[in-house]
Amino acid sequence: MSRSGINSTVYHGEVCLGDAEVFPTNNHAFPFPSNEIRISHLSPPSERCPPLSILQTISPFSVRCKVQAKSVTEESLLRRLYLSCFQEYKSAVVVVGKEELHLVAMPSKVEKVPCFWCCAVQAGLYASCLGMLNLRCLAIVFDLDETLIVANTMKSFEDRIEALSRRIDVEDDPVRVSGMSAELKRYIEDKDLLKQYIENDAVSDNGKLVGVQNEEVPGLPGSQERIVRPVIRLQERNIVLTRINPEIRDTSVFVRLRPAWEDLRSYLNAKGRKRFEVYVCTMAERDYALEMWRLLDPEAYLIGSRQLLDRVVCVKSGSRKSLQHVFQDAVCHPKMAMVIDDRLQVWDDKDQPRVHVVPAFTPYYAPQAEMANTVPVLCVARNVACNVRGGFFKEFDESLLRKIFELCYENDILDLPYAPDVSDYLMSEDTNVVPNSNKDVPISESMNGSEAERRLSPPVHLGDEQQMQHQAQTSLSSLDDELSVNRASANNRSCLDSETGQMTLLPSSLFIGVLQEIGRRCDCKVEFRSVIGSSKDLHFSVEVLFSTEKIGIGMGRTRKEAQLQAAENALRNLASNYVSFIAPNSGSTNRESDNSSLGTENGFLRDIINPVPDEPSRKDDLVGASTSEQMAQSNDSGGFSSVLSSIRELCLEGQNIVFRDQAPASVTLNKGEHYFQVELAGQILGKGVGLSREEAKLQAAEEALRTLKATHSSQRQISNSLRFSARGNLVF
């Protein structure tokens, strides 16, 4: 190098290896105290990943300096260190405070002496991520309540039953009452099972008496206590009954496991090949969380008993979760981790792009939702995890590694390639949430963190009756408050302005879900397809196909950014096409009209807008709301009268239907044949050819009726989809 460096001496432990020059980069301070580079240890050798690829993944562009040995002999210790690191994919580690400085052996096009790049990383992180990258393994973090399980105690059952009963008492809509009554029945049935378990250590399942099985809980590190819990597992119903404290029956819990958990569980660690390191992050109390996870992973298949206390992370209720907290011991980098949770906002903003949000597990509010999906929710999560892992390591192998091997000591730091990030590959999939007839926001079906802690703690003294009544009232009030907040937030969101038909801004993640819901309700497949980008600055390009028709495209620096832009553009195109389609049928969307004449909103535009009728070609062929009966009476066919009446019902007030009998040049008629076409606001709705005028007119009217019905059905599907999404019931 042309400029002079800072002279330093290199040590491995107390052994002097030789002298070197240090060249700080990008105005970094000299990183080695006392001008001494003291190597504490060498990193483990890597099977396939050169050290620079690992460091760029977990600590990108962290090169603090370049180190170049002074003239050395073939047998010098510094040269031996260099060759060992270069050939075995190792790095020489200097520990400075809470950081590790890794000396990475680099090839040189010019220098004939050992050359290193020095990269900084959090202490301990390199060794952890090295093992994961060698094994092609990522990390996955699970939430528990309403993501994998729903759990209740007798007290929480009673509170939910009382809250639901009060809502039923004030509800006038018989459909909603029916839905809530069915939900209430499910709560009562499960409460009765829990009561049998508490009182008898047995339950009656479809007339069969099932008793408890004693299950020994694996001992935690440092604990000599032996815990045996009385457990009942109803495998076919995904139900487990357990007791957090085996000595206190009031700590009994009724647990519903989410369907398809075994499919996801077996994928994560198939045939001994670990695809993901598993962690849990929950707002529940620790003893409760550990037992819930034991029920999900009874053989300690995913998390070993020695790892439980470190891997099951409990966050204080009301605070936000973070991957930094989950990986506080430098066991993984957040860029290599994904999260499965039913709520996004509980995570730190910087972690939210790595969260795959699943619909909340609601076995009481919507028990059919899990089974109604072609692919169960947790199988979708499994597919997402598979895609994330495949995309991450494809880019790691085919892009990052290839470019790392091309780098030399003389390269600039900015020549380092982009490193993969889990958030680049975490694309939403349609989970097809199917609610039941209870249209209200559901009551939270599982205990939250503070609730679990309160209800599984030693009970209050029975003598303090006033205190117990106050707690019950507070609990019920909190349930009602939660429903009010959910309703308020749902009412503040919309997709299209009801008067202008213009798109209002939604959170970017909603666009994908709204688009997928429209596709599901219209029975059209929505597909996101990656294409080769034409811009050097924007690396990724994604297009949206709606039943094989391209309706949107997006570009971005990450796949997720490109996908979100494509979904937004596609949704705007759908809205624009819808508005332009319905406008001729409804008149001008911008014309001022008396508010008293406006009908109800359909999600895009108001239903009744004053129309401007087209000028008819023949006076006697004009059919409006006032002349349709005269037209029907002038025809011999009773069928025509019925069809015309149906058409009139589908038309807006003041709209005119035009029957034209002049065939266009494109239509060839045989001798004696008659032709009619039906028009509405200049658009042809139906055509008919017959041996008589009446027959041709009837055919045209029938085709027009089918067209109008299909149009109205499509409008209802799309508008209901958007209203459904805007209410907040759709979860991505």
Side-chain angles (χ1 to χ4, degrees), residues 420-488:
D421 187 320
V422 157
S423 64
D424 294 342
Y425 315 101
L426 198 58
M427 290 190 177
S428 300
E429 291 196 20
D430 186 11
T431 47
N432 293 337
V433 186
V434 181
N436 66 1
S437 56
N438 182 357
K439 299 178 182 178
D440 283 337
V441 179
I443 292 175
S444 175
E445 301 197 354
S446 188
M447 298 181 293
N448 57 36
S450 58
E451 187 180 5
E453 185 173 6
R454 182 174 68 252
R455 289 175 176 170
L456 297 176
S457 298
V460 297
H461 296 293
L462 296 178
D464 196 352
E465 184 175 350
Q466 290 182 345
Q467 181 181 357
M468 293 181 66
Q469 291 176 350
H470 173 72
Q471 288 179 344
Q473 292 172 356
T474 302
S475 177
L476 290 173
S477 298
S478 66
L479 286 172
D480 290 339
D481 290 343
E482 180 182 345
L483 294 173
S484 300
V485 170
N486 286 341
R487 288 195 193 96

Side-chain angles (χ1 to χ4, degrees), residues 23-262:
F23 303 89
T25 60
N26 297 332
N27 298 319
H28 281 122
F30 182 74
F32 304 109
S34 304
N35 288 2
E36 293 179 345
I37 302 175
R38 290 197 170 270
I39 299 170
S40 64
H41 63 279
L42 300 183
S43 70
S46 173
E47 298 175 6
R48 62 175 92 184
C49 306
L52 190 58
S53 67
I54 300 166
L55 291 162
Q56 179 64 2
T57 300
I58 62 177
S59 187
F61 305 101
S62 62
V63 180
R64 294 288 180 83
C65 63
K66 294 184 178 183
V67 179
Q68 179 181 320
K70 291 189 173 181
S71 57
V72 294
T73 64
E74 291 289 333
E75 299 300 321
S76 72
L77 295 178
L78 191 53
R79 182 173 180 81
R80 289 183 183 179
L81 172 72
Y82 172 83
L83 291 175
S84 174
C85 290
F86 188 81
Q87 294 169 355
E88 300 178 32
Y89 288 167
K90 296 187 294 188
S91 63
V93 183
V94 179
V95 178
V96 179
K98 295 182 179 181
E99 278 191 332
E100 293 176 351
L101 301 177
H102 286 252
L103 297 177
V104 179
M106 298 291 293
S108 174
K109 295 179 180 178
V110 178
E111 307 297 338
K112 303 299 182 184
V113 294
C115 299
F116 301 86
W117 280 10
C118 175
C119 303
V121 68
Q122 181 184 354
L125 186 60
Y126 180 92
S128 298
C129 294
L130 165 64
M132 293 175 65
L133 291 171
N134 273 330
L135 294 173
R136 295 296 185 263
C137 179
L138 297 176
I140 191 167
V141 182
F142 288 106
D143 173 51
L144 288 177
D145 291 302
E146 297 191 356
T147 297
L148 300 180
I149 62 157
V150 162
N152 281 286
T153 62
M154 283 295 289
K155 186 68 172 64
S156 66
F157 270 138
E158 290 166 358
D159 287 351
R160 282 157 176 76
I161 289 170
E162 183 173 346
L164 199 55
S165 298
R166 294 195 312 180
R167 286 171 57 186
I168 292 174
D169 290 342
V170 298
E171 180 58 63
D172 296 328
D173 187 339
V175 176
R176 295 188 182 186
V177 169
S178 175
M180 288 189 287
S181 298
E183 183 180 355
L184 179 65
K185 181 174 180 289
R186 289 185 281 271
Y187 274 118
I188 293 173
E189 288 173 350
D190 283 1
K191 178 194 166 197
D192 289 343
L193 279 177
L194 180 59
K195 184 178 180 182
Q196 294 175 40
Y197 168 73
I198 293 173
E199 295 176 350
N200 308 316
D201 281 343
V203 299
S204 176
D205 180 33
N206 293 326
K208 180 182 177 182
L209 190 65
V210 181
V212 299
Q213 298 290 326
N214 290 326
E215 296 184 0
E216 184 170 356
V217 180
L220 298 174
S223 174
Q224 303 297 323
E225 183 181 8
R226 180 174 179 267
I227 299 177
V228 178
R229 288 196 173 99
V231 176
I232 294 177
R233 293 180 182 267
L234 305 179
Q235 303 280 7
E236 294 183 359
R237 298 175 60 187
N238 288 320
I239 291 173
V240 185
L241 297 103
T242 187
R243 198 163 292 148
I244 305 300
N245 185 336
E247 306 301 321
I248 303 177
R249 290 181 178 268
D250 283 345
T251 63
S252 299
V253 184
F254 185 101
V255 185
R256 282 190 174 271
L257 309 182
R258 192 162 204 162
W261 162 246
E262 284 302 319

